[in-house]
Amino acid sequence: AQKVTQAQTEISVVEKEDVTLDCVYETRDTTYYLFWYKQPPSGELVFLIRRNSFDEQNEISGRYSWNFQKSTSSFNFTITASQVVDSAVYFCALTPYNNNDMRFGAGTRLTVKP
Amino acid sequence: NAGVTQTPKFRILKIGQSMTLQCAQDMNHNYMYWYRQDPGMGLKLIYYSVGAGITDKGEVPNGYNVSRSTTEDFPLRLELAAPSQTSVYFCASSYSSGEQYFGPGTRLTVT
């Protein structure tokens, strides 16, 4: 069975602070995909990133960066110099390579205060 | 492209009523999904489809049915609605196991 755990229910930071959102996963599959999605207050889901389990390179996209460590089954997401517009619920998700039974974590609500 | 569209946006049902949530995509994606999101929770997969005529159960299929007669459409049927089905329902589509594109959601209340 697969499971995604986002232990941080809510995080509050002040604008320009760096913040890391944790994601730990469990799976018996040797190949899988990991995702991060953003859900702003308007409610839609916005894709941020997909990683393959065989690609452990960290990724940076502007102020966003992701740290994938297979050894600790973690896929953490860091926002550098946070902005008010980053306020949202962020979801980590996992799907096996050979099917599409995607499992989401419970989400982390990030509030960035001015 | 309209992307993924869902109708209706909101609906109130009485216990025991039935309804169909509509989902359509115009991106020629072969994979489509239905999720529910309960307040303060992550999304849970109800059903998914890897192509026309093929559907599979997800994590929480009980109380729902789906069909996929065309690539574009993936309706979700609720039979005998129950208060536990009060939720926001999201439809999504993807090309294989790639990024899933989500619709705007349908907020359903069962009273």
Side-chain angles (χ1 to χ4, degrees), chain B residues 22-43:
Chain B
Q22 301 292 344
C23 175
Q25 53 94 7
D26 62 359
M27 297 173 281
N28 205 31
H29 286 163
N30 45 346
Y31 292 3
M32 294 187 76
Y33 315 80
W34 273 107
Y35 294 91
R36 60 178 286 172
Q37 184 180 25
D38 298 331
M41 303 292 288
L43 281 72

Side-chain angles (χ1 to χ4, degrees), chain A:
Chain A
Q2 307 167 101
K3 186 178 177 183
V4 176
T5 301
Q6 294 179 256
Q8 304 150 308
T9 307
E10 296 191 30
I11 300 176
S12 180
V13 299
V14 176
E15 208 170 18
K16 297 185 184 174
E17 283 185 29
D18 298 348
V19 59
T20 295
L21 309 182
D22 297 333
C23 173
V24 174
Y25 62 91
E26 297 172 31
T27 181
R28 291 181 182 169
D29 294 283
T30 55
T31 52
Y32 46 89
Y33 293 106
L34 293 161
F35 299 80
W36 277 95
Y37 282 86
K38 174 182 180 179
Q39 188 175 41
S42 51
E44 76 272 23
L45 281 136
V46 179
F47 168 82
L48 296 177
I49 190 172
R50 181 190 79 164
R51 300 299 285 172
N52 300 327
S53 55
F54 44 85
D55 180 3
E56 285 193 71
Q57 279 195 352
N58 291 332
E59 181 146 345
I60 297 174
S61 176
R63 295 184 297 106
Y64 295 170
S65 62
W66 290 269
N67 184 316
F68 176 29
Q69 293 200 347
K70 219 167 173 179
S71 59
T72 56
S73 298
S74 65
F75 185 42
N76 297 337
F77 172 33
T78 297
I79 302 174
T80 303
S82 59
Q83 299 176 1
V84 173
V85 293
D86 295 327
S87 296
V89 181
Y90 291 86
F91 293 100
C92 181
L94 164 73
T95 188
Y97 187 74
N98 60 354
N99 72 52
N100 290 272
D101 186 2
M102 183 173 278
R103 300 298 169 98
F104 281 76
T108 296
R109 180 178 299 278
L110 174 66
T111 303
V112 182
K113 298 178 181 176

